[in-house]
Amino acid sequence: MAHGNLETVRRWFAFATPATGDPEAALELIDPEFEFAPHITGGHEGTEFRGLEGLESFLRVSAETWESLQAEPSEMLENGEFVVVLGTLHARGRGSGVEVEEPTVWLCRIRDGRMLRLEGRPAREPGQVAWALAEAGLPPDAFDVHGKSGRAASLGD
C-alpha cells in the first residue's frame, strides 16, 4: 500500500484547488471520517473541516477569500499510513490582490487508500516540520527545513 498512499496524496494535491476543486470527485479520495485542518483559509485559521460537507465548506470559504489558492507540493516522505509533504501555498487575495507565498508542511494520514486526515502547518517554522516528521514516525533529519534531503521522494517519483 506504500505506493498507493503516495499516489492518493498526489491525486489529492492535483484535485485540491478551491477554484476548480470538485467535492464529488473527492469522494473517491477521502475517507467518510475525513478531517482537514488547513493553516490558511482566509480568516478561518484553526478551523477543522470534517467529511464531504466540511470539504464543501472549505472550498466555499476559500473561493470567497482567495482569487487563487494553489498548493504546490515539492517533496513527500511516506511511513506506513502517513505521508509528510513539503511544499508551498500560493494565494492571491480576492479583494486585496495581495500575493501570499507560504512554505508549508502537510501531514497526511491514509486509511484504506483514502485520505483520513490532512493537517497543514507553516514550514517557515522548523519546529512544525519536526512535528510532522515525528507524528509520522520519521527521523528528524528526513527533510532539512528546505526539503533538500536525499531521502525524500520528489513529486515526479
Side-chain angles (χ1 to χ4, degrees), residues 39 84-86 102-107 119-136 140 143-145:
H39 82 283
V84 179
V85 180
L86 278 179
E102 181 70 36
T104 303
V105 60
W106 292 276
L107 176 64
E119 185 168 352
R121 295 198 178 178
R124 290 184 201 270
E125 303 169 24
Q128 299 297 343
V129 176
W131 161 83
L133 292 169
E135 288 291 312
F143 289 127
D144 69 19
V145 278

Side-chain angles (χ1 to χ4, degrees), residues 3 11 25 36 41 45 48 53 70 75 80 118 120 129-130 133:
H3 179 70
R11 289 179 60 215
F36 183 32
T41 57
E45 292 75 14
E48 291 198 10
E53 296 81 20
Q70 179 70 38
E75 299 189 61
L118 174 61
V129 176
L133 292 169

Side-chain angles (χ1 to χ4, degrees), residues 56-157:
E56 290 170 336
S57 177
F58 168 76
L59 292 171
R60 272 192 312 277
V61 167
S62 294
E64 291 169 4
T65 305
W66 303 104
E67 183 178 321
S68 64
L69 177 62
Q70 179 70 38
E72 183 180 297
S74 58
E75 299 189 61
M76 299 181 183
L77 282 171
E78 188 259 346
N79 188 30
E81 65 187 10
F82 292 99
V83 177
V84 179
V85 180
L86 278 179
T88 306
L89 277 174
H90 301 277
R92 181 179 312 116
R94 181 162 300 286
S96 67
V98 170
E99 298 278 339
V100 176
E101 185 172 293
E102 181 70 36
T104 303
V105 60
W106 292 276
L107 176 64
C108 309
R109 184 171 177 205
I110 310 299
R111 178 168 66 187
D112 298 327
R114 293 180 176 209
M115 187 80 68
L116 178 61
R117 181 166 174 84
L118 174 61
E119 185 168 352
R121 295 198 178 178
R124 290 184 201 270
E125 303 169 24
Q128 299 297 343
V129 176
W131 161 83
L133 292 169
E135 288 291 312
L138 291 163
D141 65 345
F143 289 127
D144 69 19
V145 278
H146 303 292
K148 301 296 185 198
S149 157
R151 297 177 165 195
S154 72
L155 197 56
D157 287 352

